[in-house]
Amino acid sequence: ITAIPDNLKHAISAGIGLFIAFIGLRLSGIVADHPTNLVALGDFTDPKVALTLIGLIITIILMTLNIQGSIFIGIVITALIAYFTGQLHFNGIAALPHLPEGALITNPITSFNDVINYGLYGVVFSFLLVMLFDTTGALLGIVRQAGLLKDGKLEKPGSAFFADSIGTTVGAVFGTSPTAASVESSAGVGAGGKTGLTALTVAVLFLITAFFSPLIGSLSDVAAITAPSLIIVGCFMIKSISDINWHDFDEAFPAFLVIVTMPLTSSIANGIALGFIAYPIMKIAKGKIREVHPFVYVFAILFLYQLIFLAR
């Protein structure tokens, strides 16, 4: 994290902002698929789009009035509107947590043997690189949004990565998506949560929601309920774009590449990869080889290898 140039750090935060805003726009239907242009403006007469726009208007009005908890209140009001307009249907409220198949990996030694026998080294390396920089990007974006970076550095990053690695590993053992640092956490930061107490509160609430999976599932089925919060948080995070040095092309272009490719490739890691590859190339061309941290060169080579041979 220390080795990442400051301009790329700013770009990562801004790129994540665009990425999650784009997710909100796509999920809600405000931005729709197009056979030729790939994306186009959605149908505003669609009930899902209309609900998202109403929720967005309500939330931005609350935020303009500086009402505490505006994003959460907006979600609740949008959910109520969705229920009374017939867009939200509940398939139950509570249920005991369960795993359909239990633990998928019961013997780690067998798993290591499978990697060796089937030659899965490239797959493991690819996932490692993607997860590492997905986490790095998410942490940098969220921490920068919270204003907690000191002199451009993240304090005690080892603890954050250790927690993330445990979540990733345990999630994989049970066959779920990696329980990793996610950009959606920026919604909590946008609502004012910036301390360890916030994280503990969220952890307890997540534990409680495990017993209300039917209710949570019903709410998540209606994208319009959460889409406004993603769009608004994207606005919060893109402000770091003003901290980028746009006057020097060798600094500006790699940052631009990070920002534009994150939403267009739907991947934080891909955006970081392209920025990491472009940055040292441009610095070498300008005769500023020593200004680049050796780690940046190493990861540029690894990213190039991953994108050419392993990204399938």
Side-chain angles (χ1 to χ4, degrees), residues 125-149:
F125 169 75
S126 182
F127 272 107
L128 171 63
L129 207 58
V130 170
M131 284 302 302
L132 174 63
F133 279 91
D134 262 341
T135 299
T136 301
L139 284 175
L140 279 175
I142 294 166
V143 173
R144 178 171 292 282
Q145 180 196 357
L148 299 178
L149 282 181

Side-chain angles (χ1 to χ4, degrees), residues 178-192:
T179 311
S182 61
V183 294
E184 286 80 5
S185 299
S186 55
V189 175

Side-chain angles (χ1 to χ4, degrees), residues 197-248:
L197 182 60
T198 302
L200 290 174
T201 303
V202 171
V204 172
L205 291 175
F206 262 115
L207 185 62
I208 294 173
T209 58
F211 295 90
F212 294 91
S213 55
L215 174 63
I216 302 300
S218 298
L219 292 172
S220 61
D221 285 340
V222 184
I225 294 175
T226 54
S229 62
L230 295 178
I231 297 168
I232 291 169
V233 170
C235 173
F236 288 151
M237 297 189 70
I238 201 173
K239 66 182 181 181
S240 63
I241 202 170
S242 62
D243 297 322
I244 297 173
N245 176 13
W246 294 108
H247 300 290
D248 296 327

Side-chain angles (χ1 to χ4, degrees), residues 7 30 37 52 63 88 112-113 120 135 149 152 161 169 174 180 184-185 222 224 227 230 252 261 268-269 297 308 311:
N7 274 328
I30 294 177
N37 298 327
T52 304
M63 297 196 69
L88 176 60
F112 281 109
N113 288 334
L120 300 177
T135 299
L149 282 181
F161 277 102
T169 305
F174 289 101
E184 286 80 5
S185 299
V222 184
L230 295 178
T261 54
I268 295 173
Y297 289 114
I308 294 174

Side-chain angles (χ1 to χ4, degrees), residues 47-67:
K48 180 174 71 172
V49 177
L51 179 62
T52 304
L53 293 172
I54 292 171
L56 184 60
I57 291 170
I58 291 171
T59 308
I60 61 176
I61 289 175
L62 292 172
M63 297 196 69
T64 303
L65 297 175
N66 294 320
I67 295 176

